[in-house]
Amino acid sequence: MRDTVGPFTLGENNRRAVSDLSTVLNRSRVDYLVRGTNTDLLEDGKVARRAGVTKVLDGQMKWLWGDGGPTGYGVHGTDLVAIRKDGSASVILPGMNPALPVAYARRDQLVFMTDGLRVRALQASQVLTPPATPYEPVAVADVGGGLDAGMYQLAFTSSNALGESPSTEPQAVQVEAGGAIKITGLSAPPGTTLHTYITGPNGSVFNEVDLVVDSGVAVVVGHMDAGRKLETMGMQPLPPGSALAVYDSRLLVAAGSLLFYSNPFAPLLCDPASSYIPFEHPITMVRACGGGVYVGTSEKTYRFSGDLAQADRTEVLPYGALPGSDSADPNEPTTVFWMSPRGLIRGDGAGEVTNLQSDNLQMNGGVRGATYLREREGQSLVIASTQGAGARGAVYASMDAEIVKGVSP
């Protein structure tokens, strides 16, 4: 008979009988843990009391997000707040509905959010305003130029740090040989840059043209088709949704069973007629990783690779992902993880997925989840919680998947 139990190197196991929790690992006797409360399992299998917490903000905080950067976000009461590393917070967007889940995704220095009612871009403690379609200038035929005869079309956009606005409707101008086009009312909305696009005579491709503007007036006297092509004609704002991600310069938003993707040059715009991918079931997760995107639905999990406009989907799991549960390792962005109805999943940039807990833990599903990576005392642990009718708990798994640990309070 053994005098002591442990080490608990293999973590929790609720599949074995209580009388069958001992096993042999590398010729040494180890034990599974039945349950732990307010404890951490260390890499060597020892049990340590979990560190305490310090309150930094009063009141209820919901829909927290952070990726290791200097600013995180959450909904405090009815306000979206920016949370700094010292625990201080400032209101950046009032009027939030705390009952609506909020999803976030980072693109360089910007963080995008959606709560099913809006899509916004955040930068530190500011909400950025997307560029507006400019008030349409007026273009008319003029003389004294060097244009070839024909029908020219013009369109206008504005741009800022969030890309370009939808373009104005095209204006058609009939020009005689040796003529010009005079444009009046050239004024960019505040904080933006105005762009002018023009086709060749009787053409259909819009190219950007550099203008010399004086008091809102410019004259086009010659035409070259070497300028940047217009990409935002017919575009509309990206619809709000329940999940989003940034992939290959595009913003992806899940709305119901449709996955919308933005224009690469305008992350808040999309073509509503074609820039979406339909799924059979509601989308619960969108997570970019390496050269692809993991998309979880209520029933299955898929992966896309390459250009979304042409990519084929590959089923990677025969079950779905819990909403709100996906995260990435800030130190290793090609490692991502999320909660499924059958336990914690790890995915990599090559499309390989692993259920880290199914061998030892029987999960009871859940309707939502949350995860974060905690680094303490030389260990990197994914902390994941699930919530739902008949399924409340927390599970812990090491990032390298060699040791699987679990705690169900």
Side-chain angles (χ1 to χ4, degrees), residues 144-320:
L147 293 176
D148 294 332
M151 182 72 73
Y152 291 79
Q153 297 184 76
L154 294 92
F156 305 88
T157 69
S158 67
S159 69
N160 63 11
L162 296 178
E164 282 194 82
S165 71
S167 74
T168 61
E169 290 296 322
Q171 294 185 44
V173 180
Q174 181 69 44
V175 178
E176 301 296 331
I181 299 175
K182 183 178 181 179
I183 308 172
T184 59
L186 287 166
S187 178
T192 68
T193 300
L194 187 67
H195 303 271
T196 301
Y197 296 87
I198 186 171
T199 69
N202 305 316
S204 60
V205 177
F206 290 78
N207 295 97
E208 187 172 10
V209 58
D210 292 328
L211 300 177
V212 178
V213 181
D214 184 9
S215 299
V217 179
V219 178
V220 180
V221 296
H223 175 258
M224 296 181 62
D225 59 3
R228 184 168 57 92
K229 288 182 173 58
L230 175 60
E231 301 283 353
T232 62
M233 182 173 289
M235 295 289 175
Q236 294 184 9
L238 202 63
S242 58
L244 80 169
V246 173
Y247 171 67
D248 196 23
S249 299
R250 299 182 190 268
L251 185 61
L252 284 57
V253 175
S257 59
L258 300 178
L259 179 64
F260 290 90
Y261 52 88
S262 74
N263 186 300
F265 302 98
L268 294 180
L269 300 179
C270 73
D271 182 347
S274 61
S275 298
Y276 67 89
I277 301 171
F279 286 79
E280 292 77 17
H281 302 95
I283 299 170
T284 56
M285 177 197 75
V286 185
R287 171 57 65 171
C289 182
V293 181
Y294 291 105
V295 179
T297 71
S298 59
E299 302 298 326
K300 296 182 179 182
T301 304
Y302 305 89
R303 184 176 185 271
F304 293 85
S305 59
D307 185 0
L308 284 180
Q310 303 176 8
D312 293 326
R313 76 184 72 176
T314 300
E315 181 181 321
V316 294
L317 289 173
Y319 45 89

Side-chain angles (χ1 to χ4, degrees), residues 63 75 96-104 114-117 241-242 323-324 368:
W63 318 122
V75 177
M96 300 287 290
N97 184 342
L100 296 178
V102 183
Y104 308 85
T114 184
D115 63 352
L117 298 178
S242 58
R368 289 197 65 82

Side-chain angles (χ1 to χ4, degrees), residues 133-154:
T133 301
Y135 177 76
E136 190 164 4
V138 176
V140 296
D142 203 357
V143 296
L147 293 176
D148 294 332
M151 182 72 73
Y152 291 79
Q153 297 184 76
L154 294 92

